[in-house]
Amino acid sequence: MPTVLAPASVSAELRLAQLTEANLPAQLPLLTRIAKILSASTAVTHLLVRGSLASGTADRLSDVDFVLGVHDGALTAFATALDDLMTIEGGALLPGWRDSIVMDLGGVGFVFLVQHEGKLQQVDLYLAPTSQVPAIRRRIPSAVLLEREPSEITTSQIEQAKTYVTEQMNQPRSCTDILIEHLVLVVLLHKRIQRGQRFVAYAEWHLLHTATKDLIKTALAPTSRFWGWYQLREEIALTPIGRTCLTDLDAAITSPAVPDAADVEAALDRVLALTERACPNVLDGLGAALTAYRTYLEWA
């Protein structure tokens, strides 16, 4: 089985020249830095860039979007170390959000908010077992930065990787997870507004409201038997805190269908106040990260 985070000499292997010749995105220094960090492990067999950076259509707001192939036998251990790797070496402000929007390609998506040159940049990592990479490459356009011949992958390792992916997809989210989802969606919404992408902003605004509902239910009715938006008042409005949280949720869902920047800022203020009220322990240790996050948002 490959060593999970053993360093490998990869700088010469990263195929950055072709991507550089195709376009010269402002995100290239960040892409290069993150690529070197991720590919420094012998467990990593593939590193692909997808999205606008791969197609040459990136603008200054585009995210850095990777597919990371990891040997099936090392996937669980690598994924467990990923938050620390991205925070300590990659400059991520917060743990990664387990992406619920990304297409299902046989792996697990994570979104990290990384500070780079005084701005907040979005780095999307789709973590996939090496055995799934050929199918992924057939389904999505991508540029290859790194490709290594993996050591033997056994049937049991493939099953182990599938089990990990299934468990991740079905794992209940904590209040911390849902707060991070809000923070990521706020960044996404600012991009949509600046680009004038009203339809996408409408969809992600709804996702933000749904995340607020999920945060309230997870904090105040964690054993709820009801799906989605059903029975909220019956379950939540039993305490003063619950009633105040529902007032916040009502303010969210009665806001404009397509937000402007001020609406998004108001939603961020609202959810941070809601978190402090309903699950204050989530904010423990996040003070500096949240201050930095808001500062970078103001500079964007």
Side-chain angles (χ1 to χ4, degrees), residues 14-26:
L14 287 173
R15 303 174 191 172
L16 293 166
Q18 184 176 1
L19 188 69
T20 304
E21 291 172 7
N23 54 73
L24 290 171

Side-chain angles (χ1 to χ4, degrees), residues 94-234:
L94 299 157
W97 169 51
R98 193 173 76 237
D99 192 346
S100 60
I101 303 173
V102 69
M103 182 193 310
D104 182 7
L105 297 168
V108 184
F110 298 93
V111 177
F112 291 91
L113 300 177
V114 176
Q115 68 82 20
H116 177 68
E117 296 182 349
K119 295 181 185 279
L120 202 59
Q121 294 279 0
Q122 179 183 336
V123 176
D124 296 350
L125 299 181
Y126 194 82
L127 199 61
T130 295
S131 61
Q132 293 295 314
V133 171
I136 292 173
R137 292 175 70 173
R138 287 192 296 270
R139 292 184 64 184
I140 61 168
S142 60
V144 178
L145 292 188
L146 178 72
E147 188 170 16
R148 294 191 186 112
E149 187 66 28
S151 58
E152 180 186 4
I153 301 174
T154 66
T155 301
S156 63
Q157 289 172 334
I158 292 174
E159 290 304 315
Q160 177 187 342
K162 286 181 179 178
T163 298
Y164 164 77
V165 169
T166 300
E167 288 175 348
Q168 284 295 304
M169 300 302 288
N170 295 325
Q171 181 179 346
R173 296 181 304 159
S174 68
C175 288
T176 300
D177 296 330
I178 302 171
L179 176 60
I180 292 172
E181 178 179 3
H182 280 86
L183 301 178
V184 171
L185 286 170
V186 164
V187 172
L188 291 177
L189 281 161
H190 277 297
K191 290 183 186 180
R192 308 310 178 196
I193 292 166
Q194 290 185 56
R195 287 172 171 162
Q197 296 173 316
R198 289 173 56 81
F199 295 124
V200 184
Y202 169 84
E204 290 174 353
W205 191 227
H206 174 70
L207 289 175
L208 189 76
H209 299 338
T210 301
T212 301
K213 178 266 296 178
D214 290 343
L215 180 61
I216 294 170
K217 285 190 70 171
T218 301
L220 301 181
T223 60
S224 173
R225 297 179 294 108
F226 298 100
W227 181 82
W229 295 78
Y230 288 93
Q231 301 293 318
L232 285 177
R233 194 162 300 282
E234 289 81 354

